[in-house]
RNA sequence: GCCUUGGUGGUGGAACUGGUAGACACGCAGGACUUAAAAUCCUGUCUUCAGCAACGGAGGUGCGGGUUCGAUUCCCGCCUGAGGCACCA
């Protein structure tokens, strides 16, 4: 009986499916464990070997936990709304619902082949109305909620309305509120809602015909497709994620994410502590003397009297370094700043206008690509409130309007950009840090002692920050302030294939649909072209957008809407009354293990964390962070193979010289050269000429004298990796590639010989690691590997490649080794000729040791997600058992259970071959006995001062070995040791005794 | 530039809290079985020195130092790969 994996795997997959073996019940009596994969976007390309890496890891862990007695939720679904399906529809005319359906079917069949234990009864698809009904419902919750700034919590907007009605706010009284029109009320409330509509600058992508969120724009172009993106003012929906910035930051302390992932999120949120400071700006031409009282705001200019034109206006700047306030040499404001018109002097007016025109002409992309130093002086001066120094106010594009106050104080001795700016415009630099500043380079240190800094003199900069802040607040000219880089997230897309907003606009006021009207289904459309005035395709369907109440919102929700809460729906996927039942969400609770790529660090992972916090505050769920532990699988890169080619082009026009009108005739010959001799052959004109002549003679052309070789063009191209074994090209297979495009080519092998049917040398390809992609011919399809070696081999090999969280290039070569291991395991049970070889003999101690050592190792490795070493441990054990000729059931049976997470099919098959009736996937995980996992007596090397001196036999009490108790059994060594008077024994890892005198 | 994370044979990678570096696998070389192939099995495989032999000597985990009886592991300073952020004041 041989290992027939094809039969075994398809039979067990069918059996598991037929018996609903993977259905998960809500059995509250068992401890739960929730393992989740980031659900895929079902693209048309299908899976390549990179995709299942994380799925295999999560499957192993789920199965392991199940064997350990947990009730494991391990679902799968599809993030099926999104741009690519719609782009594809525009190109092909096929409805996105149709292509999505097909793609999902392909994905599922591919996933099933690998033998995953998903409970498909819990599948969710974000584009299913039964699902997006609840996405819309949660949107309404967001719309009907606000963030209470004092209690830092989400609250129903109705509470805010009540407050306005009875107490008013800092902006208006209760009476004023009650007299507001509906539109005015709506507008005020809009400033607080968590999902709100507002005019703002958005990232508009003309090619895609939609706006994009900040994280969907990379280097000024769209993440998908790489189309240019411009800023545009439009009415949009937003998510008030900024309100949760601090909680998102604090929450990171409570979850188990990798340091780099946390760092990326912290970076994106970009919290910084600093101060806002008001500076007086002098405007106008009248020379007057400013007295203390003129400055207002209660601050006192100490003993400084300044001559000023007029204290006309205030400029608010944001700085994280108020300690450097005596080093301010200029102010810079963003070109979009409102104050510009007010403060620009007549003399500078033209220059300022020219500069602003110039800035507007530059796209974001240009601004990022070439960081020119540019700017213009406004003519106005600010006054440093601490020393009365007049500071010129400049405009420059390096200051961003959207961050802080859109204005900064320039401290060139401490800030690199400010220094460059000062140098460029010849602004004198004040040094406040003495020798720490060398005059040629800014020094952003916080460790220097301040000089030339009035009341801050002599203080260390990092200590001076608080002192300066206190002073600023005391003087009433500013206050401490925390800023964030993160912006509110754009939440609408001018597209068709997304969730419609449950909103109707009545007289310019957005009215939410009631919950009974959900789902608001997407209408069917024929065309996906954009609507008028930048609206989405839905705007074209007049019968849909116009309702008796008003006009429907025509944009749809972005891709991340559905994925922000899907982990909740798996808990209760068929609930028609609620998005999730509270009892069930209390039970299943947080996702214990979430596996996916790093690419969602600042998108999906932040949004879903925010939604969870909102739903927690509103009392729908009992946990505030959705994902307890996040494991990022590494990317599997493609390993591309290249062929070196010399294309010989022969001009054979001359052969037809009897007719004058003959066009240029040429004949191409491909010479494909093995990697290392390519450079040599390239220069070998004589050889190339011979090859060309041989090539032409096959077409009956013999008159070589008349032919000139036009060129021998060297080039390198991608070859399909499936034709290459390691580096060696399978020439015969390759010749059939692309309908035999290279069937007539000449192959020059590594030793310089020309390939023929009995060549001994090889054709060697060059290689490079690149992203896996169809166009590079470096994709490997998991289906093919499953067909060739089986799903069990494939699963174990993907794990064997290396740590899951590490990126690595794919190389099919080593898969044989894993396959051999499974065959070797099989042979412990069955012999090809003899049939059954396993027996019921009692195990020996040495064999029990192998077993228990393995149980312990596999368990430890699986727990710490070290799946690659676990696979190695299996190999070692099977090697040991084969060497010991151990075919005993008592040893083999527990091993099979250990194997279930890694290779479920073969484990199940052999389990039943041993006569078991129940499914092995539900068997209890074996426990190891420590008396078998510790060597009880052995030769150990003994070292003195780290030098290995001798081996001694040491008798260990098995139980005591763990607590490092040893008994020296060798008399001579003991005597010798006594003579040396050792005072310290270090017994390490059952391996070595170190004696320290 | 900043942040995060890596650097170990021909290759992928082991070595978990400092304890015999290179497990396991691929590849390669040699051998057994076979008419032959496939399959399977065995031996060798970090470098170097010495040798009839070995559980022999020496060196060795990017580079240079340090702590320690002992360092791939800890500390300091460099070099370098990958990923992320990048006018965020």
């Amino acid at each position: 009986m041989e290992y027939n994996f094809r039969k075994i795997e398809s039979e067990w997959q069918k059996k598991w499916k037929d018996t609903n073996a993977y259905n998960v019940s809500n059995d509250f009596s068992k401890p739960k464990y929730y393992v989740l994969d980031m659900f895929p976007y079902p693209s048309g390309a299908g899976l390549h070997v990179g995709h299942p890496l994380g799925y295999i890891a999560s499957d192993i862990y789920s199965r392991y936990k199940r064997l350990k007695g947990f009730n494991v939720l391990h679902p799968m679904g599809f993030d099926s709304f999104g741009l690519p399906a719609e782009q594809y529809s525009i190109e092909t005319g096929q409805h996105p619902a149709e292509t999505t359906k097909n793609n999902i079917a392909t994905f599922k069949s591919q996933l099933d082949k690998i033998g995953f234990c998903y409970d498909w009864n819990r599948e969710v698809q974000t584009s299913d109305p039964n699902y997006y009904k609840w996405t819309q419902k949660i949107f309404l919750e967001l719309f009907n909620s606000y963030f209470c700034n004092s209690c830092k919590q989400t609250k129903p907007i109705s509470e805010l309305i009540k407050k306005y009605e009875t107490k008013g706010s800092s902006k208006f009284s209760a009476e004023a509120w009650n007299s507001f029109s509906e539109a005015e009320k709506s507008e005020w409330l809009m400033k607080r809602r968590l999902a709100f509509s507002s005019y703002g600058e958005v990232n508009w992508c003309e090619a895609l015909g939609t706006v994009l969120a900040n994280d969907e724009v990379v280097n000024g172009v769209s993440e998908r497709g790489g189309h240019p993106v411009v800023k545009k003012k439009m009415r949009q929906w937003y998510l008030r994620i900024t309100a949760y910035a601090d909680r998102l930051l604090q929450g990171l302390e409570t979850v188990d994410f990798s340091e780099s992932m946390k760092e990326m999120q912290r970076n994106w949120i970009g919290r910084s502590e600093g101060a806002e400071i008001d500076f007086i700006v002098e405007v106008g031409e009248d020379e007057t003397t400013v007295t203390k009282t003129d400055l207002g705001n209660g601050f006192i200019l100490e003993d400084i009297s300044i001559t000023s034109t007029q204290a006309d206006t205030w400029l608010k700047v944001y700085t994280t370094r108020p300690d450097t306030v005596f080093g301010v040499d200029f102010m810079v404001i963003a070109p979009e700043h409102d104050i510009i018109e007010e403060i620009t002097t007549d003399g500078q007016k033209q220059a300022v206008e020219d500069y602003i025109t110039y800035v507007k002409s530059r796209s974001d992309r240009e601004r990022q690509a070439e960081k020119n130093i540019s700017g213009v002086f406004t003519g106005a001066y600010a006054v440093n409130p601490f020393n009365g120094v007049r500071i010129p106010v400049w405009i420059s594009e390096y200051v961003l309007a959207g961050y802080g106050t859109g204005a900064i104080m320039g401290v060139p001795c401490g800030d690199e950009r400010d220094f460059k700016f000062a140098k460029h415009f010849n602004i004198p630099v004040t040094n406040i840090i003495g020798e720490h500043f060398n005059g040629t380079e800014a020094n952003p240190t916080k460790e220097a002692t301040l000089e030339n800094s009035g009341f801050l003199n002599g203080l260390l900069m990092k200590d001076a920050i608080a002192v300066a802040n206190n002073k600023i607040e005391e003087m009433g000219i500013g206050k401490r302030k925390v800023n964030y880089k993160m912006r509110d997230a754009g939440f609408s897309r001018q597209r068709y294939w997304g969730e419609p907003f449950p909103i109707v606009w009545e007289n310019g006021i957005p009215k939410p649909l009631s919950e009974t009207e959900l789902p608001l289904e997407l209408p069917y459309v024929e065309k996906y072209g954009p609507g008028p005035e930048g609206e989405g395709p839905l705007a074209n369907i007049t019968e849909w957008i116009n309702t008796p109440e008003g006009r429907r919102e025509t944009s749809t929700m972005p891709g991340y809407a559905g994925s922000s809460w899907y982990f909740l729906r798996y808990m209760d996927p068929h609930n028609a009354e609620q998005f999730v039942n509270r009892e069930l969400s209390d039970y299943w609770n947080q996702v214990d293990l979430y596996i996916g790529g790093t690419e969602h660090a600042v998108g999906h992972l932040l949004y879903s964390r925010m939604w969870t916090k909102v739903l927690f505050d509103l009392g729908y769920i009992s946990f505030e962070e959705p994902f307890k532990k996040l494991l990022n699988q590494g990317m599997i890169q493609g390993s591309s193979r290249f062929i070196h080619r010399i294309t010989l082009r022969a001009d054979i026009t001359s052969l037809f010289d009897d007719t004058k009108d003959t066009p240029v005739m040429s004949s191409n010959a491909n010479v494909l050269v093995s990697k290392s001799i390519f450079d040599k052959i390239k220069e070998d004109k004589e050889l190339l000429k011979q090859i060309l002549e041989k090539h032409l003679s096959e077409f009956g052309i013999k008159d070589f004298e008349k032919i000139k070789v036009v060129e021998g063009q060297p080039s390198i191209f991608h070859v399909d990796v499936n034709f290459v074994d390691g580096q060696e090209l399978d020439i015969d297979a390759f010749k059939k590639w692309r309908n035999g495009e290279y069937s007539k080519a000449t192959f020059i092998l590594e030793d310089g010989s020309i390939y023929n049917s009995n060549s001994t040398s090889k054709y060697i390809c060059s290689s490079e690691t690149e992203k896996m992609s169809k166009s590079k011919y470096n994709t490997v399809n998991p289906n093919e590997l499953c067909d060739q070696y089986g799903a069990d081999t494939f699963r174990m090999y993907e794990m064997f490649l290396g740590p899951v969280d590490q990126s690595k290039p794919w190389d099919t070569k080593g898969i044989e080794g894993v396959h051999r291991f499974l065959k070797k395991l099989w042979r412990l049970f069955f012999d090809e000729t003899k049939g059954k070889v396993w027996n019921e003999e009692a195990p020996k101690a040495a064999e029990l040791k192998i077993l228990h050592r393995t149980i312990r190792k596999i368990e430890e490795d699986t727990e710490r997600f070290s799946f690659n070493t676990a696979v190695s441990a299996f190999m070692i054990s099977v090697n040991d058992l084969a060497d010991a000729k151990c075919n005993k059931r008592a040893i083999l049976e527990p091993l099979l259970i250990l194997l279930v997470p890694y290779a479920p099919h073969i484990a199940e098959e052999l389990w039943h071959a041993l006569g078991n009736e129940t499914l092995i996937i539900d068997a209890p995980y074996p426990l190891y006995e420590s008396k078998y996992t510790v060597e009880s007596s052995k030769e150990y090397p003994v070292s003195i001062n780290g030098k290995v001196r001798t081996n001694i036999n040491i008798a260990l009490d098995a139980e005591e070995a763990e607590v490092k108790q040893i008994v020296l059994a060798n008399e001579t060594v003991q005597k010798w040791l006594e003579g040396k008077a050792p005072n310290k024994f270090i017994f390490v890892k059952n391996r070595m005794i170190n004696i320290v005198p």
Side-chain angles (χ1 to χ4, degrees), chain A residues 232-360:
Chain A
K232 195 171 173 179
K233 250 192 154 90
M234 287 178 81
R235 182 175 266 290
Q236 286 299 320
W237 286 94
Y238 292 91
L239 237 43
R240 203 176 300 283
I241 193 168
T242 49
Y244 293 83
D246 266 331
R247 281 174 67 185
L248 288 169
L249 224 39
Q250 285 155 15
L252 286 177
E253 306 301 326
T254 69
V255 295
D256 184 4
F257 290 12
S258 71
E259 200 43 51
S260 64
M261 189 57 79
K262 287 184 179 181
E263 206 51 42
M264 272 190 245
Q265 295 208 358
R266 289 194 194 108
N267 238 312
W268 184 259
I269 295 168
R271 184 180 200 273
S272 71
E273 287 178 14
E276 283 181 353
I277 312 175
D278 292 316
F279 287 81
I280 289 170
V281 179
E282 303 165 344
V283 185
E285 306 296 336
D286 308 333
E287 288 282 333
T288 55
T289 302
V290 178
T291 67
K292 291 177 185 179
T293 46
D294 277 339
L295 298 174
N297 253 12
F299 84 80
I300 303 153
L301 271 180
E302 296 179 336
D303 292 326
I304 302 153
S305 64
I306 57 164
T307 306
S308 170
T309 48
Q310 211 180 313
D312 270 337
T313 188
W314 296 83
L315 176 64
K316 196 186 280 294
V317 304
Y318 176 71
T319 180
T320 55
R321 297 296 301 276
D323 54 311
T324 63
V325 72
F326 286 91
V328 178
D329 291 316
F330 55 93
M331 296 284 171
V332 190
I333 58 180
E336 297 86 358
H337 204 290
D338 294 335
I339 206 174
I340 289 175
E341 205 173 323
E342 193 182 343
I343 65 170
T344 303
T345 57
D346 291 342
Q348 288 297 100
K349 209 163 195 128
Q350 191 56 46
V352 168
E353 275 172 21
D354 290 349
Y355 182 68
I356 289 173
T357 311
Y358 158 77
V359 171
K360 277 191 178 155

Side-chain angles (χ1 to χ4, degrees), chain A residues 604-624:
Chain A
H604 161 64
L605 281 167
L606 276 179
Y607 299 126
S608 51
R609 290 182 59 217
M610 175 204 164
W611 285 41
T612 305
K613 288 180 193 306
V614 171
L615 295 176
F616 168 77
D617 287 354
L618 296 177
Y620 286 105
I621 52 177
S622 58
F623 47 92
E624 200 180 334

Side-chain angles (χ1 to χ4, degrees), chain A residues 64-81:
Chain A
Y64 168 76
K65 278 289 178 185
R66 180 175 174 145
L67 295 170
K68 278 277 185 186
F70 288 83
N71 191 20
V72 179
L73 180 56
H74 183 221
M76 183 47 107
F78 296 94
D79 187 14
S80 46
F81 266 140

Side-chain angles (χ1 to χ4, degrees), chain A residues 273 492 606 621 654-655 710 907 926:
Chain A
E273 287 178 14
S492 43
L606 276 179
I621 52 177
S654 51
L655 297 176
V710 177

